[in-house]
Structures are given as C-alpha cells and as structure tokens.
Amino acid sequence: AAGGRLCACRFYSDEDRLRLAEEKELENRMRVALDAGEFVIYLQPKLELRTNAVVGAEALVRWADPVRGLVPPNDFIPLFERNGFVVDLDLNVFEQVCALLRAWADAGLQPVPLSVNLSRAHLADPSFVERYEEIRRRYEVPAPLIEIELTETLVFEDPERLARVIDELHAAGYRCSLDDFGSGYSSLNVLKDIDVDTLKLDGVFFDAPDFSQGRGADIIDIVIELSRRLGMRTVAEGVETEEQAAFLKRAGCDMIQGYLFSRPIPPAAFERLVFGQGRQ
Ligand code: C2E
Ligand code: CA
Ligand code: CA
Ligand code: CA
C-alpha cells in the first residue's frame, strides 16, 4: 500500500508517459509475436585466432516486427526481464538453436557449437534445466554442442545459486561461459567458485585507444593467462580493429567475436560462411 501511495505522488514527465505507453503496447503484443515466430535469431561467428576458423557462434535474438522492422534486443529484453517474459523468449531461442543444429546434422554438415544467453529470471525456477533438457531431447541434439552464456552480474546476485546451476548444466552435458567478464566489478576471486568452460572478455578491456599499453594491457594479459591456468578458453567480445585482434592473439586469447570479422548475421548467411553453399 505504501508503494501505491508513493506511486500516486510520483511525477511523470511526458517522456515517462510515452515510454510507459510504448511498454504497455509491447506487452500487449509480445505473446502473439512469439507464437507468430517474430522473434528470430541471428548468429555472430566466433573466430579461432590460431587457425582463423569459425569455431562457433552466439545466437542473438531480434524482433522481426512487421511494422517496426528488425528491433534490437536492447529495446525489449530489459522490459521482458522485468515482466518475466524473457523466460519464454529464451526457451524459444534455445528451441530455434536446437532446430538449427538438428537441421545441420540431418544435412550431413559438421555442426559448430552454438551459444545462447540465459537470463537471470530462469534461476528462480529450480527445474529450469529440465525445461531445456526436454527441448534438447526432442531435437536429439548432443548437449556439448550448446553453450549457455551466464552474465557476470549473476555472480554478485547469488553466487551459490549460480555455482549450482553451472554444476547442473555441466551434469547434463552443456558447456557454460561467463559472459561480459570485466564489464562490472568482477573480482578474479569469483573464478575460484565459478567453474565455467569459457570466459567472455567484455569489450571494455580493449575499447580505449591506448588499450595495448600500460596497466590495461598487463591486466588483459594476466586475465588470459589466468584463464588458461584455470582450464578455461577465452573469447574476446566486441573486437572491431586489426590492432585489437593482433594484441589478443599475442596475449594468447583463443577466440574473437566482433564486427571486425562479422556482425551477427541470419542463419542462412552463417551457413554460407561456414559450410560454403549451405543447405538446400
Ligand atoms: P551480449 O550477450 O553481450 O551480446 C553481444 C552484443 O554485442 C550483441 O548485441 C552484438 O551484436 C554486439 N556486438 C558484437 N560485436 C560487436 C562489436 O564489434 N562492436 C560493438 N559495438 N558491438 C558488438 P545485441 O545482439 O544487440 O545484443 C545485446 C544484448 O541483448 C546481448 O548482449 C544480451 O545481453 C541480450 N540478448 C540478446 N539475445 C538474447 C537472448 O536470446 N536472451 C537473452 N536473455 N538476452 C539476449
Ligand atoms: Ca552473450
Ligand atoms: Ca557479452
Ligand atoms: Ca575447464
């Protein structure tokens, strides 16, 4: 009730009102849009620095809205995280990834692993891994072909729950990665308890013009070395320049993902890139 009273005296600007109206409109349409297949995945390749081969990709959702066109996730994921819809959306993205891996196997193509983003909202459901497993089994896709990206901020929210979730995902055969590492107030200490297969270094590590000099450069070096010692692979995200790629290669980083090599692209374009002609 106190919240209600506070709410009543809160001052809304025209801008707030417009935003709230837009959000209401999105909320009215999201369920129908999901059922209509308007949420589609794009794939951003991960390039292995040692071999220059595409060794995987991250599935990133877009809302292919018939009126507004292709809407980027930052325009709707935050709202869907607040209203809980992100759980169904993530499951839908996961199913699209399973369907794609199934189609590649059926076409006799050598599949590359794909990763999906897992929102924090799933962690509240103690049986969420089983929901993923039900889908994966239906498509008969080997779990090691799928990597689950868990964002760094989860470490601060509930490290014990996160560690248990990772154990559960590993037990089912999935790979796990720690996403956005370095974007918040990470401590290297979290790597003691968070046993992931891959560390995704956030672009903030190397987006300053002088990233390759001084203390910043030493920190990147050490984080990559530490990952190696802990048996984790490293992916550098948001790599946009040759200079960054060369530096990361020298530092021993395993993979890069960023506009330098490729933006996120539709699955058909990804198939042409990786398999040549793709499937018919
Ligand atoms: P993220 O997981 O950190 O994904 C990487 C984002 O960085 C993507 O933005 C990608 O397009 C962008 N990016 C890649 N390379 C570069 C680069 O070289 N330079 C720059 N400036 N940006 C680059 P996108 O696709 O707009 O996704 C934004 C965020 O939305 C994602 O960040 C992720 O947190 C969230 N998201 C996307 N798809 C899903 C999903 O299916 N489920 C959930 N829960 N979240 C998702
Ligand atoms: Ca991610
Ligand atoms: Ca990221
Ligand atoms: Ca390991």
Side-chain angles (χ1 to χ4, degrees):
R5 214 174 301 129
L6 271 177
C7 220
C9 6
R10 207 158 115 198
F11 178 78
Y12 286 104
S13 66
D14 284 352
E15 243 170 75
D16 286 341
R17 258 187 229 101
L18 184 65
R19 193 176 46 79
L20 287 172
E22 274 172 8
E23 290 193 344
K24 193 82 221 120
E25 152 87 6
L26 291 188
E27 287 192 300
N28 288 336
R29 290 172 42 237
M30 63 194 185
R31 172 61 54 190
V32 175
L34 187 74
D35 294 339
E38 289 179 17
F39 292 99
V40 297
I41 57 169
Y42 271 44
L43 298 176
Q44 187 173 36
K46 293 172 187 166
L47 190 78
E48 188 173 57
L49 284 166
R50 193 174 51 81
T51 58
N52 272 332
V54 175
V55 292
E58 175 175 7
L60 294 156
V61 72
R62 276 97 182 82
W63 187 343
D65 187 298
V67 178
R68 293 175 299 159
L70 211 60
V71 183
N74 288 336
D75 288 5
F76 54 85
I77 294 273
L79 170 68
F80 293 174
E81 279 183 336
R82 273 181 273 129
N83 67 22
F85 188 65
V86 74
V87 168
D88 286 349
L89 181 60
D90 282 351
L91 284 162
N92 181 275
V93 165
F94 181 75
E95 179 158 359
Q96 292 189 52
V97 160
C98 288
L100 201 55
L101 288 167
R102 179 74 262 148
W104 291 345
D106 288 347
L109 301 164
Q110 179 67 51
V112 295
L114 298 178
S115 65
V116 295
N117 290 284
L118 187 95
S119 164
R120 62 169 52 68
H122 295 271
L123 303 196
D125 174 3
S127 63
F128 94 87
V129 176
E130 194 38 52
R131 296 183 72 185
Y132 276 71
E133 278 294 89
E134 184 274 315
I135 295 169
R136 185 188 65 77
R137 285 197 213 101
R138 190 146 38 84
Y139 286 88
E140 297 181 58
V141 171
L145 282 179
I146 304 174
E147 185 167 279
I148 311 288
E149 299 197 1
L150 300 140
T151 183
E152 178 192 75
T153 52
L154 294 171
V155 178
F156 313 108
E157 288 177 15
D158 193 346
E160 283 97 47
R161 173 80 184 124
L162 182 63
R164 273 201 311 278
V165 162
I166 291 169
D167 283 348
E168 241 185 285
L169 288 167
H170 276 156
Y174 297 95
R175 304 271 158 83
C176 297
S177 60
L178 192 58
D179 199 3
D180 309 319
F181 187 76
S183 67
Y185 294 92
S186 333
S187 139
L188 293 180
N189 214 29
V190 307
L191 299 177
K192 193 158 57 68
D193 307 310
I194 303 301
D195 176 23
V196 288
D197 306 278
T198 313
L199 202 62
K200 297 197 79 178
L201 306 177
D202 195 85
V204 295
F205 274 118
F206 34 83
D207 65 3
D210 62 346
F211 76 94
S212 62
Q213 283 129 46
R215 300 161 74 97
D218 286 338
I219 289 172
I220 306 173
D221 259 344
I222 293 294
V223 168
I224 292 170
E225 168 63 13
L226 180 66
S227 304
R228 204 184 53 73
R229 293 264 290 265
L230 294 174
M232 294 183 289
R233 308 244 294 152
T234 43
V235 181
E237 283 195 283
V239 175
E240 295 182 347
T241 68
E242 293 286 359
E243 197 198 356
Q244 291 169 337
F247 176 87
L248 288 159
K249 187 174 181 176
R250 250 183 286 119
C253 182
D254 294 300
M255 291 161 268
I256 55 170
Q257 180 186 339
Y259 294 171
L260 173 65
F261 179 66
S262 172
R263 290 185 175 251
I265 51 179
F270 182 79
E271 290 172 355
R272 284 192 296 276
L273 178 74
V274 175
F275 307 122
Q277 278 318 294
R279 59 197 164 90
Q280 298 316 305

